[in-house]
Amino acid sequence: DGLSDGTVTLEAQQEPSFTTSEASTTFQVDSGIDTAAINSPTAASPVTKQSGDSVDVTYSAQDAAFNSATVTIDGGPDGVVGSAAVNQGSSKTQSLQLSGSITDGAYDVNLTVTDTNGNSKTVTQSDAVTIDDVVTSISVTNGPVEPTSEINVSGSASGPDDVSFNITDPDGDHATLTKAITNTAFSV
């Protein structure tokens, strides 16, 4: 095993001799970064955003000799799409502004922590941010023909998404129904 992190004292003695000679010195042992972790978003709990949105990244970055830390969102087809210098701390949150025009796809969240002794550690949450700028277009192929308490609508959409149907009757009463469209055809 190596030395533990912290202040180490080294003592030297000269023996045997007519006189005893001693010397000592202290130095610091720093074997690496104490804490570097991304708490959210994660691969297990990703977020979906659009170009230009902001992403809140919760992280922990701590070290006795802390120098700097950076959070980036990258790894997708467009490289780095958001980056910010962050402060040391536990469960801190940094909001990153995404670039204005990003290719749809999955992106990684990275945290790099460095200390004043030259140690560095990078942790990654792969595919933690999904960019989805595809605008779903919708067409309704049939709708209600006569007034009833039940309305049936069917049609198609250009891609999977949540679609909201807003219905207003002649009296101004409103109703909204949201349906997750998992393929291109739907019926509600």
Side-chain angles (χ1 to χ4, degrees):
D1 284 338
L3 297 172
S4 297
D5 283 2
T7 303
V8 175
T9 302
L10 174 64
E11 296 178 345
Q13 275 185 345
Q14 176 187 359
E15 292 181 10
S17 174
F18 295 109
T19 61
T20 303
S21 178
E22 294 182 4
S24 68
T25 188
T26 60
F27 59 92
Q28 293 291 319
V29 173
D30 183 1
S31 60
I33 302 298
D34 297 336
T35 303
I38 299 168
N39 306 73
S40 72
T42 64
S45 297
V47 296
T48 300
K49 297 290 183 174
Q50 292 183 326
S51 296
D53 285 353
S54 63
V55 176
D56 289 337
V57 177
T58 303
Y59 66 94
S60 295
Q62 294 181 310
D63 191 77
F66 180 85
N67 183 45
S68 66
T70 304
V71 173
T72 59
I73 298 175
D74 68 10
D78 294 332
V80 175
V81 296
S83 180
V86 296
N87 297 317
Q88 174 170 239
S90 178
S91 294
K92 304 278 274 177
T93 299
Q94 175 68 43
S95 186
L96 277 72
Q97 188 70 38
L98 296 173
S99 302
S101 179
I102 305 171
T103 303
D104 283 1
Y107 290 79
D108 303 337
V109 177
N110 304 295
L111 169 66
T112 301
V113 181
T114 60
D115 67 16
T116 56
N117 297 319
N119 295 309
S120 178
K121 182 175 185 178
T122 299
V123 293
T124 299
Q125 286 290 333
S126 299
D127 300 339
V129 176
T130 299
I131 302 301
D132 181 6
D133 282 340
V134 174
V135 176
T136 301
S137 63
I138 228 174
S139 65
V140 176
T141 53
N142 70 4
V145 193
E146 58 187 65
T148 66
S149 61
E150 190 174 301
I151 298 173
N152 296 305
V153 178
S154 64
S156 62
S158 63
D161 213 341
D162 287 346
V163 177
S164 293
F165 298 91
N166 298 305
I167 302 164
T168 305
D169 71 10
D171 295 330
D173 295 326
H174 299 282
T176 300
L177 168 69
T178 300
K179 174 146 178 95
I181 308 296
T182 56
N183 53 36
T184 56
F186 66 86
S187 179
V188 288

